[in-house]
Amino acid sequence: MIDLRTDTVTQPTAAMLAAMQTATQGDDSRDGDPTVIKLEALAAARTGKQAALYMPSGTMTNLVAVLAHTQRAGEVLLERGAHMLNTELGGLAAVAGVFYKGISGARGAMDMEELRGAVRPMTRNNFGTGLICMETTHNGAGGTVLSLAHMTMVHALAQQHGIPVHTDGARLFNAAVALGVPASDIARHTDSVCFCVSKGLSAPVGSVLCGSSAFIERARPFRRMVGGNMRQAGSIAAAGIVGLETMIERLAEDHAMAKRLAAGLHAIDPRLCDPAGIQTNIVRIDISFTSRNAVQWSTALTQAGIAVSPADSRSLRFVTHRHIGIIEIDQALAAFNTVFQAT
Ligand SMILES: Cc1ncc(COP(=O)(O)O)c(C=O)c1O
């Protein structure tokens, strides 16, 4: 099976497994484990922030960021297709207790006019805007990268109104590699940012929330509240360190494979996708003109040995990662073509 559903299926490298075996085994919740502390320091350095906090998942880092920024009051503004809005099961409202407004977007970037119009001050009858969130790379938009110019504008607008900004950077390093800049150049346009070591970086578990020291101190009790404090977390953190130290530059290979895949799909039928729009490791294709819906497509492709994710009823999502090379892409294209011709 060629697994193109997601980059979270990546297995730890040999170096990660070796580091996991010899990692410290302190009780991170109680004392702070030395390996976890090292990962947090490295994450803070990579993002140019003062401090960082390790957690089990990207969903949790986003949730804790919302809790720590808003203290459970106010409206959160974020792009309508954001992962935090669509895929995190309403945690914003159900757990963080805030309400939110989706802003129209193009390739993951919020419409600035609409965003400006949505910012509300606190009044006697209104909590006001409590937080603005961005997402880069943007999963739902197909792995698109926010331009630094857009991020600068959003951050400036927020600062003008005294509103904090959080960025869901689950694939922050994919964005950095695509832009050809260090991740800190992206993170300087946001007050807090999280990223996952468990996706393209290949570590088995975890995400890190980064921000000012004061923000991270506010985030700590919320991490505990939502059950995110871990005990002997040194082993998984050790793999995250190897991910940050050795796996960032190679993300460019995943991006090249995504481009090859998109070019091949375009050659099968140009209506499927536009290879020019592929910026990182996610390829979303439009199958609305075919006689199958996304679930039927995914079932047929699975039978042909290719696992993909139905993104919505009319599109499929392919994600490239460390276990997908030229051979796998070309096999996937051949299998896709066979299924396509039988449509
Ligand atoms: C943009 C984005 N944010 C957050 C997450 C959540 O990460 P996790 O699955 O570790 O909770 C994902 C996962 O795919 C994601 O793509």
Side-chain angles (χ1 to χ4, degrees), residues 6 8 56-60 62 83-84 88 135 137-139 168 170-171 196 198-199 207 317:
T6 170
T8 60
S57 71
T59 300
M60 189 181 281
N62 282 329
H83 195 276
M84 290 172 71
E88 298 181 12
E135 179 177 322
T137 69
H138 195 291
N139 186 341
D168 175 358
R171 297 183 181 81
C196 303
S198 58
K199 296 192 162 68
S207 301
R317 191 188 73 163

Side-chain angles (χ1 to χ4, degrees), residues 292-309:
R292 291 188 178 93
N293 65 27
V295 172
Q296 290 164 334
W297 259 107
S298 147
T299 306
L301 287 172
T302 303
Q303 279 160 6
I306 312 297
V308 302
S309 296

Side-chain angles (χ1 to χ4, degrees), residues 64-120:
V64 168
V66 173
L67 283 161
H69 279 303
T70 65
Q71 305 282 319
R72 305 175 68 86
E75 185 172 39
V76 177
L77 303 177
L78 69 182
E79 198 273 332
R80 207 164 270 163
H83 195 276
M84 290 172 71
L85 197 52
N86 296 287
T87 322
E88 298 181 12
L89 306 187
L92 272 177
V95 186
V98 293
F99 53 109
Y100 49 81
K101 182 181 273 179
I103 305 293
S104 317
R107 292 179 62 74
M110 287 179 280
D111 181 281
M112 284 308 296
E113 266 322 297
E114 199 176 316
L115 180 63
R116 225 169 260 122
V119 170
R120 290 198 275 181

Side-chain angles (χ1 to χ4, degrees), residues 74-207:
E75 185 172 39
V76 177
L77 303 177
L78 69 182
E79 198 273 332
R80 207 164 270 163
H83 195 276
M84 290 172 71
L85 197 52
N86 296 287
T87 322
E88 298 181 12
L89 306 187
L92 272 177
V95 186
V98 293
F99 53 109
Y100 49 81
K101 182 181 273 179
I103 305 293
S104 317
R107 292 179 62 74
M110 287 179 280
D111 181 281
M112 284 308 296
E113 266 322 297
E114 199 176 316
L115 180 63
R116 225 169 260 122
V119 170
R120 290 198 275 181
M122 187 171 170
T123 63
R124 51 184 284 170
N125 291 318
N126 203 319
F127 287 120
T129 307
L131 178 67
I132 299 177
C133 296
M134 295 188 265
E135 179 177 322
T136 191
T137 69
H138 195 291
N139 186 341
T144 51
V145 180
L146 294 180
S147 72
L148 296 182
H150 174 77
M151 294 189 73
T152 305
M153 281 192 291
V154 173
H155 198 207
L157 173 69
Q159 282 180 325
Q160 197 186 325
H161 295 275
I163 301 166
V165 175
H166 169 68
T167 297
D168 175 358
R171 297 183 181 81
L172 178 70
F173 294 101
N174 293 83
V177 165
L179 288 173
V181 300
S184 53
D185 279 10
I186 300 175
R188 82 161 45 103
H189 305 294
T190 182
D191 299 298
S192 63
V193 63
C194 60
F195 66 83
C196 303
V197 291
S198 58
K199 296 192 162 68
L201 299 183
S202 297
V205 183
S207 301

